[in-house]
Amino acid sequence: VVLGICPQHSKRFLRSLTKERLLEAKHSGPRLCIDLSMSHHMSKKELSRLAGQIRRLYGSNKKATRPFWICLTGFATDSPLYEECLRMNDGFSSYLLDITEEDCFTLFPLETLVYLTPDSEHALEDVDLNKVYILGGLVDESVQKKVTFQKAREHSVKTARLPIQEYMVRCQNGKNYHSEILAINQVFDILSTYSETQSWPEALKKGVSSRKGYVLQNAVE
């Protein structure tokens, strides 16, 4: 008999490996907060979309070789969003992440925070292990202009945008539509890919679909 890992072993083994990597990230990995303090403005449909984005983000993080430690902040367990997450996301209650009602601004030293918002004038240059990156839990439909940017400003927290303008160009499209507003799981895929490859072009290719009206510079020539 050839010695091999039987399938259920390998599945269990992979699960424990994933768990180990995620818990390791809690101590030494890059950190990401999803600021869910704005979810009370959202419709049921938007809450469902946000719950779906959280599921996809967590799924990507589980597959990453260098996962982030994820913290869902401003998140009450008796909120409609929490119920939606339980309803839509299988095994949500055993996700390996932190959930807290506290605001991201009170949880971490302000100088470690970087709020990612398309309205920032600073392009993100690097993913720094000593920083905590914040994504605003807003869905496309409820994007009130600059709401996350204002929030970061009020707390004197640094902001950054993804370097889309630096590495990508607008492409012609029928609707003349160009948007830098991405779903939180798309932003996460970019951060995660960058963290693993140290290449912005590769990372942006992963998260910015051509439907947003942007393509990599060298793809045009």
Side-chain angles (χ1 to χ4, degrees):
V1 184
V2 181
L3 282 174
I5 303 177
C6 60
Q8 60 269 42
H9 268 319
S10 60
K11 223 176 187 166
R12 188 182 308 156
F13 175 69
L14 287 173
R15 261 212 304 271
S16 68
L17 201 64
T18 300
K19 187 172 176 172
E20 217 166 287
R21 273 211 301 253
L22 283 170
L23 293 172
E24 176 58 31
K26 185 166 188 166
H27 304 292
S28 57
R31 289 168 300 171
L32 183 77
C33 268
I34 299 166
D35 175 6
L36 298 172
S37 62
M38 297 161 281
S39 64
H40 51 281
H41 296 309
M42 294 186 196
S43 68
K44 177 89 159 69
K45 183 175 152 214
E46 289 168 343
L47 290 175
S48 300
R49 284 186 48 197
L50 184 54
Q53 290 175 19
I54 291 171
R55 179 183 67 231
R56 286 194 286 276
L57 185 152
Y58 185 72
S60 298
N61 197 40
K62 265 177 33 179
K63 290 196 206 79
T65 8
R66 291 192 55 196
F68 279 64
W69 181 251
I70 292 169
C71 193
L72 306 180
T73 61
F75 193 26
T77 47
D78 57 0
S79 62
L81 177 62
Y82 193 84
E83 278 167 36
E84 206 49 26
C85 283
L86 281 176
R87 187 180 72 82
M88 283 184 63
N89 304 350
D90 209 23
F92 180 71
S93 51
S94 54
Y95 275 15
L96 290 169
L97 40 69
D98 280 326
I99 289 180
T100 173
E101 289 190 28
E102 273 194 77
D103 204 338
C104 47
F105 301 112
T106 55
L107 274 178
F108 300 97
L110 293 179
E111 65 277 10
T112 62
L113 296 175
V114 179
Y115 211 121
L116 296 176
T117 159
D119 300 307
S120 176
E121 58 266 34
H122 307 290
L124 187 65
E125 286 169 23
D126 202 7
V127 172
D128 180 344
L129 291 179
N130 302 313
K131 299 274 188 239
V132 179
Y133 296 93
I134 308 169
L135 296 181
L138 285 167
V139 177
D140 269 1
E141 290 158 43
S142 61
V143 173
Q144 296 103 356
K145 264 316 257 176
K146 298 209 166 186
V147 59
T148 51
F149 183 66
Q150 296 298 343
K151 207 173 165 185
R153 245 212 178 134
E154 277 160 34
H155 292 87
S156 315
V157 159
K158 279 199 184 73
T159 60
R161 58 177 172 75
L162 293 170
I164 294 176
Q165 300 160 18
E166 282 68 16
Y167 292 94
M168 302 187 99
V169 290
R170 292 179 166 211
C171 57
Q172 295 269 281
N173 56 27
K175 294 190 188 133
N176 195 18
Y177 171 76
H178 301 93
S179 169
E180 291 182 45
I181 294 169
L182 305 173
I184 55 172
N185 54 298
Q186 293 168 320
V187 177
F188 176 74
D189 286 343
I190 293 169
L191 290 178
S192 176
T193 306
Y194 176 78
S195 168
E196 281 173 28
T197 62
Q198 299 294 300
S199 155
W200 281 117
E202 212 165 305
L204 291 162
K205 196 169 75 190
K206 182 88 190 274
V208 183
S209 83
S210 57
R211 289 201 306 272
K212 290 283 173 185
Y214 282 92
V215 290
L216 285 175
Q217 276 166 11
N218 55 7
V220 179
E221 288 147 29

